Coordinates of all heavy atoms in Angstrom, one line a residue:
M1 N 0.8 -1.2 0.0 CA 0.0 0.0 0.0 C 0.9 1.3 0.0 O 0.6 2.2 -0.7 CB -0.9 0.0 1.2 CG -1.8 1.1 1.3 SD -2.9 1.2 -0.1 CE -3.8 2.7 0.2
F2 N 1.9 1.2 0.8 CA 2.8 2.4 0.9 C 3.6 2.7 -0.4 O 4.0 3.8 -0.7 CB 3.8 2.3 2.0 CG 3.1 2.4 3.4 CD1 3.0 1.3 4.2 CD2 2.5 3.5 3.8 CE1 2.4 1.3 5.4 CE2 1.8 3.6 5.0 CZ 1.8 2.5 5.8
R3 N 3.7 1.6 -1.2 CA 4.4 1.8 -2.5 C 3.5 2.6 -3.5 O 4.1 3.1 -4.5 CB 4.7 0.4 -3.1 CG 5.8 -0.3 -2.3 CD 6.0 -1.7 -2.8 NE 6.3 -1.7 -4.2 CZ 6.3 -2.8 -4.9 NH1 6.0 -4.0 -4.4 NH2 6.7 -2.8 -6.2
L4 N 2.2 2.6 -3.3 CA 1.4 3.3 -4.2 C 1.3 4.8 -3.9 O 0.9 5.6 -4.8 CB -0.1 2.8 -4.1 CG -0.2 1.4 -4.7 CD1 -1.7 0.9 -4.4 CD2 0.1 1.3 -6.1
I5 N 1.7 5.3 -2.8 CA 1.6 6.7 -2.4 C 2.4 7.6 -3.3 O 1.9 8.6 -3.8 CB 2.0 6.9 -0.9 CG1 1.0 6.2 0.0 CG2 2.2 8.4 -0.6 CD1 1.3 6.2 1.4
P6 N 3.7 7.3 -3.7 CA 4.4 8.2 -4.6 C 3.7 8.2 -6.0 O 3.6 9.2 -6.7 CB 5.8 7.5 -4.7 CG 6.0 6.8 -3.5 CD 4.6 6.3 -3.1
A7 N 3.2 7.0 -6.5 CA 2.5 7.0 -7.7 C 1.2 7.8 -7.7 O 0.9 8.6 -8.7 CB 2.1 5.6 -8.1
L8 N 0.5 7.8 -6.6 CA -0.7 8.6 -6.5 C -0.4 10.1 -6.4 O -1.1 10.9 -7.0 CB -1.5 8.2 -5.2 CG -2.1 6.8 -5.3 CD1 -2.8 6.5 -3.9 CD2 -3.2 6.7 -6.4
I9 N 0.7 10.4 -5.8 CA 1.1 11.8 -5.8 C 1.5 12.3 -7.2 O 1.0 13.4 -7.6 CB 2.3 12.0 -4.8 CG1 1.8 11.8 -3.4 CG2 2.9 13.4 -5.0 CD1 3.0 11.8 -2.4
V10 N 2.2 11.5 -8.0 CA 2.5 11.9 -9.4 C 1.3 12.0 -10.2 O 1.1 13.0 -11.0 CB 3.5 10.9 -10.0 CG1 3.7 11.1 -11.4 CG2 4.8 11.0 -9.2
V11 N 0.3 11.1 -10.1 CA -0.9 11.1 -10.8 C -1.7 12.4 -10.5 O -2.3 13.1 -11.3 CB -1.7 9.8 -10.6 CG1 -3.2 10.0 -11.1 CG2 -1.1 8.7 -11.2
L12 N -1.8 12.7 -9.2 CA -2.5 13.9 -8.8 C -1.8 15.2 -9.4 O -2.6 16.1 -9.9 CB -2.5 14.0 -7.2 CG -3.1 15.2 -6.6 CD1 -4.6 15.2 -6.9 CD2 -2.8 15.3 -5.2
I13 N -0.5 15.2 -9.4 CA 0.2 16.4 -10.0 C -0.1 16.5 -11.5 O -0.4 17.5 -12.0 CB 1.7 16.3 -9.7 CG1 1.9 16.6 -8.2 CG2 2.4 17.3 -10.6 CD1 3.4 16.3 -7.8
L14 N -0.1 15.3 -12.2 CA -0.4 15.3 -13.6 C -1.9 15.7 -13.9 O -2.1 16.5 -14.9 CB -0.1 13.9 -14.2 CG 1.4 13.5 -14.3 CD1 1.5 12.1 -14.8 CD2 2.2 14.5 -15.1
V15 N -2.8 15.3 -13.1 CA -4.2 15.7 -13.3 C -4.4 17.2 -13.0 O -5.1 17.8 -13.8 CB -5.1 14.8 -12.3 CG1 -6.5 15.4 -12.3 CG2 -5.2 13.4 -12.8
L16 N -3.8 17.7 -12.0 CA -3.8 19.1 -11.7 C -3.2 19.9 -12.9 O -3.8 21.0 -13.3 CB -3.2 19.5 -10.4 CG -3.9 19.0 -9.2 CD1 -3.1 19.3 -7.9 CD2 -5.3 19.7 -9.1
F17 N -2.1 19.4 -13.4 CA -1.5 20.1 -14.6 C -2.4 20.1 -15.8 O -2.6 21.1 -16.5 CB -0.2 19.4 -14.9 CG 0.5 19.9 -16.1 CD1 1.3 21.1 -16.0 CD2 0.4 19.3 -17.3 CE1 1.9 21.6 -17.1 CE2 1.0 19.8 -18.4 CZ 1.8 20.9 -18.4
A18 N -3.0 18.9 -16.0 CA -3.9 18.8 -17.2 C -5.2 19.7 -17.0 O -5.6 20.3 -18.0 CB -4.4 17.4 -17.4
L19 N -5.7 19.8 -15.8 CA -6.9 20.6 -15.6 C -6.5 22.1 -15.7 O -7.4 22.9 -16.1 CB -7.5 20.3 -14.2 CG -8.2 19.0 -14.1 CD1 -8.7 18.7 -12.7 CD2 -9.3 18.9 -15.1
S20 N -5.3 22.5 -15.4 CA -5.0 24.0 -15.4 C -4.4 24.4 -16.7 O -4.2 25.6 -16.9 CB -4.0 24.3 -14.3 OG -2.9 23.5 -14.3
N21 N -4.2 23.5 -17.7 CA -3.7 23.9 -19.0 C -4.6 23.3 -20.1 O -4.2 22.4 -20.8 CB -2.2 23.4 -19.2 CG -1.3 24.1 -18.3 OD1 -1.1 25.3 -18.4 ND2 -0.8 23.3 -17.3
R22 N -5.8 23.8 -20.2 CA -6.8 23.3 -21.1 C -6.9 24.1 -22.4 O -7.7 23.8 -23.3 CB -8.1 23.2 -20.5 CG -8.2 22.1 -19.4 CD -9.6 22.0 -18.9 NE -9.9 23.2 -18.1 CZ -11.1 23.5 -17.6 NH1 -12.0 22.6 -17.7 NH2 -11.3 24.6 -16.9
E23 N -6.0 25.1 -22.6 CA -6.1 25.9 -23.8 C -5.7 25.1 -25.0 O -4.9 24.2 -24.9 CB -5.1 27.1 -23.7 CG -5.4 28.1 -22.6 CD -4.7 27.6 -21.3 OE1 -3.7 26.9 -21.3 OE2 -5.3 28.0 -20.2
A24 N -6.4 25.4 -26.1 CA -6.1 24.6 -27.3 C -4.9 25.2 -28.1 O -4.7 26.4 -28.2 CB -7.3 24.6 -28.3
V25 N -4.0 24.3 -28.5 CA -2.9 24.7 -29.3 C -2.9 23.9 -30.7 O -3.5 22.8 -30.7 CB -1.5 24.5 -28.6 CG1 -1.4 25.3 -27.4 CG2 -1.4 23.0 -28.3
S26 N -2.4 24.5 -31.7 CA -2.3 23.9 -33.0 C -1.0 23.2 -33.2 O 0.1 23.8 -33.1 CB -2.6 24.9 -34.1 OG -2.5 24.3 -35.3
L27 N -1.0 21.9 -33.4 CA 0.2 21.1 -33.6 C 0.3 20.8 -35.1 O -0.6 20.1 -35.7 CB 0.2 19.8 -32.8 CG 0.4 20.0 -31.3 CD1 0.4 18.6 -30.7 CD2 1.6 20.7 -30.9
G28 N 1.3 21.2 -35.8 CA 1.5 20.9 -37.2 C 2.6 19.8 -37.4 O 3.5 19.8 -36.6
F29 N 2.4 19.0 -38.3 CA 3.3 17.9 -38.6 C 4.0 18.2 -39.9 O 3.5 18.2 -41.0 CB 2.6 16.5 -38.7 CG 1.9 16.2 -37.4 CD1 0.5 16.4 -37.2 CD2 2.6 15.7 -36.3 CE1 -0.1 16.1 -36.1 CE2 2.0 15.5 -35.1 CZ 0.6 15.7 -35.0
W30 N 5.3 18.5 -39.8 CA 6.1 19.2 -40.8 C 6.0 18.7 -42.2 O 5.7 19.5 -43.1 CB 7.5 19.3 -40.3 CG 8.4 19.8 -41.4 CD1 8.4 21.0 -42.0 CD2 9.4 19.0 -42.1 NE1 9.4 21.1 -43.0 CE2 10.0 19.9 -43.0 CE3 9.9 17.7 -41.9 CZ2 11.0 19.4 -43.9 CZ3 10.9 17.3 -42.8 CH2 11.4 18.2 -43.7
P31 N 6.3 17.4 -42.5 CA 6.3 17.1 -43.9 C 5.0 17.1 -44.6 O 4.8 17.1 -45.8 CB 6.9 15.7 -43.9 CG 7.0 15.2 -42.6 CD 6.7 16.3 -41.6
T32 N 3.9 17.2 -43.8 CA 2.6 17.2 -44.3 C 1.9 18.5 -44.0 O 2.5 19.3 -43.2 CB 1.7 16.1 -43.8 OG1 1.5 16.3 -42.4 CG2 2.4 14.7 -44.0
D33 N 0.8 18.8 -44.5 CA 0.0 20.0 -44.1 C -1.0 19.7 -43.0 O -1.8 20.5 -42.7 CB -0.7 20.5 -45.4 CG 0.2 21.1 -46.4 OD1 1.3 21.5 -46.0 OD2 -0.1 21.1 -47.6
Y34 N -0.9 18.5 -42.4 CA -1.8 18.2 -41.3 C -1.5 18.9 -40.1 O -0.3 19.1 -39.7 CB -1.7 16.6 -41.1 CG -2.6 16.2 -40.0 CD1 -4.0 16.0 -40.2 CD2 -2.1 15.9 -38.7 CE1 -4.8 15.6 -39.3 CE2 -3.0 15.4 -37.7 CZ -4.3 15.3 -38.0 OH -5.2 14.9 -37.0
S35 N -2.5 19.4 -39.4 CA -2.4 20.1 -38.1 C -3.6 19.7 -37.3 O -4.7 19.3 -37.8 CB -2.3 21.6 -38.2 OG -3.5 22.1 -38.6
A36 N -3.4 19.6 -36.0 CA -4.4 19.2 -35.1 C -4.5 20.2 -33.9 O -3.5 20.8 -33.5 CB -4.2 17.8 -34.6
Q37 N -5.7 20.4 -33.5 CA -6.0 21.3 -32.3 C -6.1 20.3 -31.1 O -6.9 19.4 -31.0 CB -7.3 22.0 -32.4 CG -7.3 23.1 -33.5 CD -6.5 24.3 -33.1 OE1 -6.4 24.6 -31.9 NE2 -5.9 25.0 -34.1
V38 N -5.2 20.5 -30.2 CA -5.2 19.6 -29.0 C -5.0 20.5 -27.7 O -4.4 21.6 -27.8 CB -4.0 18.6 -29.0 CG1 -4.3 17.6 -30.1 CG2 -2.7 19.2 -29.1
P39 N -5.4 20.1 -26.6 CA -5.1 20.8 -25.4 C -3.6 20.9 -25.1 O -2.9 20.0 -25.4 CB -5.8 20.0 -24.3 CG -6.8 19.2 -25.0 CD -6.3 18.9 -26.3
L40 N -3.2 22.0 -24.5 CA -1.8 22.2 -24.2 C -1.3 21.1 -23.3 O -0.2 20.6 -23.5 CB -1.6 23.6 -23.6 CG -0.2 24.0 -23.2 CD1 0.7 24.0 -24.4 CD2 -0.2 25.3 -22.4
S41 N -2.0 20.8 -22.3 CA -1.6 19.7 -21.4 C -1.4 18.4 -22.1 O -0.4 17.7 -21.8 CB -2.5 19.6 -20.2 OG -3.8 19.2 -20.7
A42 N -2.2 18.1 -23.0 CA -2.1 16.8 -23.7 C -0.8 16.8 -24.6 O -0.1 15.8 -24.7 CB -3.3 16.5 -24.6
A43 N -0.6 17.9 -25.3 CA 0.6 18.0 -26.1 C 1.9 17.9 -25.2 O 2.8 17.1 -25.6 CB 0.7 19.4 -26.8
I44 N 1.9 18.5 -24.1 CA 3.1 18.4 -23.2 C 3.2 17.0 -22.6 O 4.3 16.4 -22.6 CB 3.0 19.5 -22.1 CG1 3.2 20.9 -22.8 CG2 4.1 19.3 -21.1 CD1 3.0 22.0 -21.8
L45 N 2.2 16.5 -22.1 CA 2.2 15.2 -21.5 C 2.6 14.1 -22.5 O 3.3 13.1 -22.1 CB 0.9 14.9 -20.7 CG 0.7 15.8 -19.5 CD1 -0.7 15.5 -18.9 CD2 1.8 15.6 -18.5
V46 N 2.0 14.1 -23.7 CA 2.3 13.1 -24.7 C 3.8 13.2 -25.1 O 4.5 12.2 -25.2 CB 1.4 13.2 -25.9 CG1 1.8 12.4 -27.1 CG2 0.0 12.8 -25.5
G47 N 4.3 14.4 -25.2 CA 5.7 14.6 -25.6 C 6.6 14.1 -24.5 O 7.6 13.4 -24.8
M48 N 6.2 14.4 -23.2 CA 7.0 13.8 -22.1 C 7.0 12.3 -22.1 O 8.0 11.7 -21.8 CB 6.5 14.4 -20.8 CG 6.8 15.9 -20.6 SD 6.0 16.6 -19.1 CE 6.6 15.5 -17.8
A49 N 5.8 11.7 -22.3 CA 5.7 10.3 -22.3 C 6.5 9.6 -23.4 O 7.2 8.6 -23.2 CB 4.2 9.8 -22.4
L50 N 6.5 10.2 -24.6 CA 7.3 9.7 -25.7 C 8.8 9.8 -25.4 O 9.5 8.9 -25.7 CB 7.0 10.5 -27.0 CG 5.6 10.2 -27.7 CD1 5.4 11.1 -28.8 CD2 5.5 8.7 -28.1
A51 N 9.2 10.9 -24.9 CA 10.6 11.1 -24.5 C 11.0 10.1 -23.4 O 12.1 9.5 -23.5 CB 10.9 12.5 -24.0
F52 N 10.2 9.8 -22.5 CA 10.4 8.8 -21.4 C 10.6 7.5 -22.0 O 11.6 6.8 -21.7 CB 9.3 8.8 -20.4 CG 9.5 7.8 -19.3 CD1 10.3 7.9 -18.3 CD2 8.7 6.6 -19.4 CE1 10.5 6.9 -17.3 CE2 8.9 5.6 -18.5 CZ 9.8 5.8 -17.4
F53 N 9.7 7.0 -22.9 CA 9.8 5.7 -23.4 C 10.9 5.5 -24.4 O 11.5 4.5 -24.5 CB 8.4 5.3 -24.1 CG 7.4 5.0 -23.0 CD1 6.2 5.8 -23.0 CD2 7.5 3.9 -22.1 CE1 5.3 5.5 -22.0 CE2 6.6 3.7 -21.2 CZ 5.4 4.4 -21.1
L54 N 11.2 6.6 -25.1 CA 12.4 6.5 -26.0 C 13.7 6.4 -25.2 O 14.6 5.6 -25.5 CB 12.5 7.8 -26.9 CG 13.6 7.9 -27.9 CD1 13.5 6.8 -28.9 CD2 13.7 9.2 -28.5
G55 N 13.8 7.2 -24.1 CA 15.0 7.0 -23.2 C 15.1 5.7 -22.6 O 16.2 5.1 -22.5
A56 N 13.9 5.1 -22.2 CA 13.9 3.8 -21.6 C 14.4 2.8 -22.6 O 15.1 1.8 -22.3 CB 12.6 3.5 -21.0
A57 N 13.9 2.9 -23.8 CA 14.3 1.9 -24.9 C 15.8 2.0 -25.1 O 16.5 1.0 -25.3 CB 13.5 2.2 -26.1
V58 N 16.4 3.2 -25.2 CA 17.8 3.4 -25.4 C 18.6 2.7 -24.3 O 19.6 2.0 -24.5 CB 18.2 4.9 -25.5 CG1 19.7 5.1 -25.5 CG2 17.6 5.4 -26.8
V59 N 18.2 2.9 -23.0 CA 18.9 2.4 -21.9 C 18.8 0.8 -21.9 O 19.7 0.1 -21.7 CB 18.4 2.9 -20.6 CG1 18.9 2.2 -19.4 CG2 18.7 4.4 -20.5
W60 N 17.6 0.3 -22.3 CA 17.4 -1.1 -22.3 C 18.3 -1.8 -23.4 O 18.9 -2.8 -23.1 CB 15.9 -1.4 -22.6 CG 15.6 -2.9 -22.7 CD1 15.5 -3.7 -21.6 CD2 15.3 -3.6 -23.9 NE1 15.2 -5.0 -22.1 CE2 15.1 -4.9 -23.5 CE3 15.3 -3.3 -25.2 CZ2 14.8 -5.9 -24.4 CZ3 15.0 -4.3 -26.1 CH2 14.7 -5.6 -25.7
V61 N 18.4 -1.1 -24.6 CA 19.2 -1.7 -25.6 C 20.7 -1.6 -25.2 O 21.4 -2.6 -25.5 CB 19.0 -0.9 -27.0 CG1 20.0 -1.3 -28.0 CG2 17.6 -1.2 -27.5
E62 N 21.1 -0.6 -24.5 CA 22.4 -0.4 -24.1 C 22.8 -1.5 -23.1 O 23.9 -2.1 -23.1 CB 22.7 0.9 -23.5 CG 24.1 1.2 -23.0 CD 24.2 2.6 -22.5 OE1 23.7 3.5 -23.1 OE2 24.9 2.7 -21.4
H63 N 21.9 -1.9 -22.2 CA 22.1 -2.9 -21.2 C 22.1 -4.3 -21.7 O 22.5 -5.2 -21.0 CB 21.2 -2.7 -20.0 CG 21.6 -1.6 -19.1 ND1 21.1 -0.3 -19.2 CD2 22.5 -1.5 -18.1 CE1 21.7 0.5 -18.3 NE2 22.5 -0.3 -17.6
L64 N 21.6 -4.5 -22.9 CA 21.6 -5.9 -23.5 C 23.0 -6.4 -23.6 O 23.3 -7.6 -23.2 CB 20.9 -5.9 -24.9 CG 19.4 -5.8 -24.9 CD1 18.9 -5.7 -26.3 CD2 18.8 -7.0 -24.2
G65 N 23.9 -5.6 -24.0 CA 25.3 -6.0 -24.1 C 25.9 -6.3 -22.8 O 26.7 -7.2 -22.6
L66 N 25.6 -5.5 -21.8 CA 26.1 -5.7 -20.5 C 25.6 -7.0 -19.8 O 26.3 -7.7 -19.2 CB 25.8 -4.5 -19.6 CG 26.4 -3.2 -20.0 CD1 25.9 -2.0 -19.1 CD2 27.9 -3.3 -19.9
R67 N 24.3 -7.3 -20.1 CA 23.8 -8.5 -19.5 C 24.4 -9.7 -20.2 O 24.7 -10.7 -19.5 CB 22.3 -8.5 -19.7 CG 21.5 -7.6 -18.7 CD 20.0 -7.9 -18.8 NE 19.5 -7.4 -20.1 CZ 18.8 -6.3 -20.1 NH1 18.5 -5.6 -19.1 NH2 18.3 -5.9 -21.3
R68 N 24.7 -9.6 -21.5 CA 25.3 -10.8 -22.2 C 26.7 -10.9 -21.6 O 27.2 -12.1 -21.4 CB 25.4 -10.5 -23.7 CG 25.9 -11.6 -24.5 CD 26.0 -11.3 -26.0 NE 24.9 -10.5 -26.5 CZ 25.0 -9.4 -27.1 NH1 26.2 -8.9 -27.3 NH2 24.0 -8.7 -27.5
R69 N 27.4 -9.8 -21.4 CA 28.8 -9.9 -20.8 C 28.8 -10.5 -19.4 O 29.6 -11.3 -19.0 CB 29.4 -8.5 -20.8 CG 30.8 -8.5 -20.4 CD 31.3 -7.0 -20.5 NE 32.6 -6.9 -19.9 CZ 33.2 -5.8 -19.6 NH1 32.6 -4.7 -19.9 NH2 34.4 -5.8 -19.0
A70 N 27.8 -10.1 -18.6 CA 27.6 -10.7 -17.3 C 27.4 -12.2 -17.3 O 27.9 -12.9 -16.5 CB 26.5 -9.9 -16.5
R71 N 26.5 -12.6 -18.2 CA 26.2 -14.1 -18.3 C 27.5 -14.8 -18.7 O 27.8 -15.9 -18.1 CB 25.1 -14.3 -19.3 CG 23.7 -14.1 -18.8 CD 22.7 -14.7 -19.7 NE 22.7 -14.1 -21.1 CZ 22.1 -13.0 -21.4 NH1 21.3 -12.4 -20.6 NH2 22.2 -12.6 -22.7
R72 N 28.3 -14.3 -19.6 CA 29.5 -14.9 -20.0 C 30.5 -15.0 -18.8 O 31.2 -16.0 -18.6 CB 30.2 -14.2 -21.1 CG 29.5 -14.4 -22.5 CD 30.1 -13.7 -23.6 NE 29.4 -13.8 -24.8 CZ 29.6 -13.0 -25.9 NH1 30.5 -12.1 -25.8 NH2 28.9 -13.2 -26.9
A73 N 30.6 -13.9 -18.0 CA 31.5 -13.9 -16.9 C 31.0 -14.9 -15.8 O 31.8 -15.6 -15.2 CB 31.5 -12.5 -16.3
E74 N 29.7 -15.0 -15.6 CA 29.2 -16.0 -14.6 C 29.5 -17.4 -15.1 O 29.9 -18.3 -14.3 CB 27.7 -15.8 -14.4 CG 27.3 -14.6 -13.6 CD 25.8 -14.4 -13.6 OE1 25.1 -15.1 -14.2 OE2 25.4 -13.4 -12.9
A75 N 29.4 -17.7 -16.4 CA 29.7 -19.0 -16.9 C 31.2 -19.3 -16.7 O 31.6 -20.4 -16.3 CB 29.3 -19.1 -18.4
A76 N 32.1 -18.3 -16.9 CA 33.5 -18.5 -16.8 C 33.8 -18.7 -15.3 O 34.7 -19.6 -15.0 CB 34.3 -17.3 -17.3
V77 N 33.2 -18.0 -14.4 CA 33.4 -18.2 -13.0 C 33.0 -19.6 -12.5 O 33.7 -20.3 -11.8 CB 32.6 -17.1 -12.1 CG1 32.6 -17.5 -10.7 CG2 33.3 -15.8 -12.3
S78 N 31.8 -20.1 -13.0 CA 31.4 -21.4 -12.6 C 32.3 -22.5 -13.2 O 32.6 -23.5 -12.5 CB 30.0 -21.7 -13.0 OG 29.9 -21.6 -14.4
R79 N 32.8 -22.3 -14.4 CA 33.8 -23.2 -15.0 C 35.1 -23.2 -14.2 O 35.6 -24.3 -13.9 CB 34.0 -22.8 -16.5 CG 34.9 -23.8 -17.2 CD 35.1 -23.5 -18.7 NE 35.8 -22.2 -18.8 CZ 35.4 -21.1 -19.3 NH1 34.2 -21.0 -19.7 NH2 36.2 -20.0 -19.3
L80 N 35.6 -22.0 -13.8 CA 36.8 -22.0 -13.0 C 36.6 -22.5 -11.6 O 37.5 -23.2 -11.1 CB 37.3 -20.5 -12.9 CG 37.8 -19.9 -14.3 CD1 38.1 -18.4 -14.1 CD2 39.1 -20.7 -14.7
Q81 N 35.4 -22.4 -11.0 CA 35.2 -23.0 -9.7 C 35.2 -24.5 -9.8 O 35.7 -25.2 -8.9 CB 33.9 -22.5 -9.2 CG 33.9 -21.1 -8.6 CD 32.6 -20.6 -8.2 OE1 31.5 -21.1 -8.6 NE2 32.6 -19.5 -7.3
A82 N 34.6 -25.0 -10.9 CA 34.7 -26.5 -11.1 C 36.1 -27.0 -11.3 O 36.5 -28.0 -10.7 CB 33.8 -26.9 -12.3
Q83 N 36.9 -26.3 -12.0 CA 38.3 -26.7 -12.2 C 39.1 -26.6 -10.9 O 39.9 -27.4 -10.6 CB 39.0 -25.8 -13.2 CG 38.5 -26.0 -14.6 CD 39.2 -25.0 -15.6 OE1 39.9 -24.1 -15.2 NE2 38.8 -25.2 -16.9
L84 N 38.8 -25.6 -10.1 CA 39.4 -25.4 -8.8 C 39.0 -26.6 -7.9 O 39.9 -27.2 -7.2 CB 39.1 -24.1 -8.1 CG 39.6 -23.8 -6.8 CD1 41.2 -23.8 -6.8 CD2 39.1 -22.5 -6.2
A85 N 37.8 -27.0 -7.9 CA 37.3 -28.1 -7.0 C 38.0 -29.4 -7.5 O 38.4 -30.2 -6.6 CB 35.8 -28.2 -7.1
Q86 N 38.2 -29.6 -8.8 CA 38.8 -30.8 -9.2 C 40.3 -30.8 -8.8 O 40.8 -31.8 -8.4 CB 38.7 -30.9 -10.8 CG 37.4 -31.3 -11.3 CD 37.3 -31.3 -12.8 OE1 38.3 -30.9 -13.5 NE2 36.2 -31.8 -13.3
A87 N 40.9 -29.6 -8.9 CA 42.4 -29.5 -8.5 C 42.5 -29.8 -7.0 O 43.4 -30.4 -6.6 CB 42.9 -28.1 -8.9
E88 N 41.6 -29.2 -6.2 CA 41.7 -29.5 -4.8 C 41.4 -30.9 -4.5 O 42.1 -31.5 -3.5 CB 40.7 -28.6 -4.0 CG 41.0 -27.1 -4.0 CD 40.0 -26.3 -3.4 OE1 38.8 -26.7 -3.2 OE2 40.3 -25.1 -3.1
L89 N 40.5 -31.6 -5.2 CA 40.3 -33.0 -5.0 C 41.5 -33.8 -5.3 O 41.8 -34.7 -4.6 CB 39.1 -33.4 -5.8 CG 38.6 -34.8 -5.6 CD1 38.1 -35.0 -4.2 CD2 37.5 -35.2 -6.6
R90 N 42.2 -33.5 -6.4 CA 43.4 -34.2 -6.8 C 44.5 -34.0 -5.7 O 45.3 -34.9 -5.4 CB 43.9 -33.8 -8.1 CG 43.2 -34.5 -9.3 CD 43.7 -34.1 -10.6 NE 43.0 -32.9 -11.0 CZ 43.5 -32.0 -11.7 NH1 44.7 -32.0 -12.2 NH2 42.7 -30.9 -12.0
Q91 N 44.5 -32.8 -5.2 CA 45.6 -32.5 -4.2 C 45.4 -33.2 -2.9 O 46.4 -33.6 -2.3 CB 45.7 -31.0 -4.0 CG 46.9 -30.5 -3.2 CD 46.9 -29.0 -3.1 OE1 45.9 -28.3 -3.2 NE2 48.1 -28.5 -2.8
T92 N 44.2 -33.3 -2.5 CA 43.9 -34.0 -1.2 C 43.7 -35.5 -1.3 O 43.6 -36.1 -0.3 CB 42.7 -33.3 -0.5 OG1 41.5 -33.5 -1.4 CG2 42.9 -31.9 -0.2
S93 N 43.6 -36.0 -2.5 CA 43.4 -37.4 -2.6 C 44.6 -38.2 -2.1 O 45.8 -37.7 -2.4 CB 43.0 -37.8 -4.0 OG 44.1 -37.5 -4.9
P94 N 44.4 -39.3 -1.5 CA 45.6 -40.0 -1.0 C 46.4 -40.6 -2.1 O 45.9 -41.1 -3.1 CB 45.0 -41.2 -0.1 CG 43.6 -41.3 -0.6 CD 43.2 -40.0 -1.2
T95 N 47.7 -40.5 -2.0 CA 48.6 -41.1 -3.0 C 49.3 -42.2 -2.3 O 49.7 -42.2 -1.2 CB 49.6 -40.0 -3.5 OG1 50.3 -39.5 -2.4 CG2 48.9 -38.9 -4.2
F96 N 49.5 -43.3 -3.0 CA 50.2 -44.4 -2.5 C 51.6 -44.3 -2.9 O 52.0 -44.4 -4.1 CB 49.5 -45.7 -3.1 CG 48.1 -45.8 -2.6 CD1 47.1 -45.6 -3.5 CD2 47.8 -46.2 -1.3 CE1 45.8 -45.7 -3.1 CE2 46.5 -46.3 -0.9 CZ 45.5 -46.1 -1.8
A97 N 52.5 -44.2 -1.9 CA 53.9 -44.1 -2.2 C 54.6 -45.2 -1.4 O 54.1 -45.7 -0.4 CB 54.4 -42.8 -1.7
L98 N 55.7 -45.6 -1.8 CA 56.5 -46.6 -1.1 C 57.1 -46.0 0.1 O 57.5 -44.8 0.1 CB 57.6 -47.1 -2.1 CG 57.1 -47.8 -3.3 CD1 58.3 -48.1 -4.2 CD2 56.4 -49.1 -2.9
P99 N 57.2 -46.8 1.2 CA 57.9 -46.2 2.4 C 59.3 -46.0 2.1 O 60.0 -46.6 1.2 CB 57.7 -47.3 3.4 CG 57.4 -48.6 2.6 CD 56.8 -48.1 1.3
P100 N 59.9 -45.0 2.9 CA 61.3 -44.7 2.7 C 62.2 -46.0 3.0 O 61.9 -46.8 3.8 CB 61.6 -43.6 3.6 CG 60.5 -43.6 4.6 CD 59.3 -44.3 3.9
P101 N 63.3 -46.1 2.2 CA 64.2 -47.3 2.5 C 64.8 -47.3 3.8 O 65.1 -46.2 4.3 CB 65.2 -47.2 1.3 CG 65.1 -45.8 0.9 CD 63.8 -45.3 1.2
E102 N 65.0 -48.4 4.4 CA 65.7 -48.5 5.7 C 67.1 -48.5 5.5 O 67.7 -49.1 4.7 CB 65.2 -49.8 6.4 CG 63.8 -49.8 6.8 CD 63.4 -51.0 7.5 OE1 64.3 -51.8 8.0 OE2 62.2 -51.3 7.6
V103 N 67.8 -47.7 6.4 CA 69.3 -47.6 6.3 C 69.9 -48.5 7.3 O 69.7 -48.9 8.3 CB 69.7 -46.2 6.5 CG1 71.2 -46.1 6.3 CG2 69.0 -45.3 5.6

């Protein structure tokens, strides 16, 4: 329940912003002659949402390589741990040697 409080505060701020910026603005789309009348708050909030998701996508793509590198490092660590365990086992295993000669 307490995790929802920050989200509710953000939603409240966005609703108040949308209610106080209801003036219509004309948005034109450059390569075409199309233009649309939208509320100022919608234009700003949609632009912010698009920028947020574009930034999140860039970060996600950037971290794909890091995750792949981390998986390879984990595989190398587990392989080296297995080799170390085998080496320790060989080192501690009893070896049969002849007793020293009597003088």
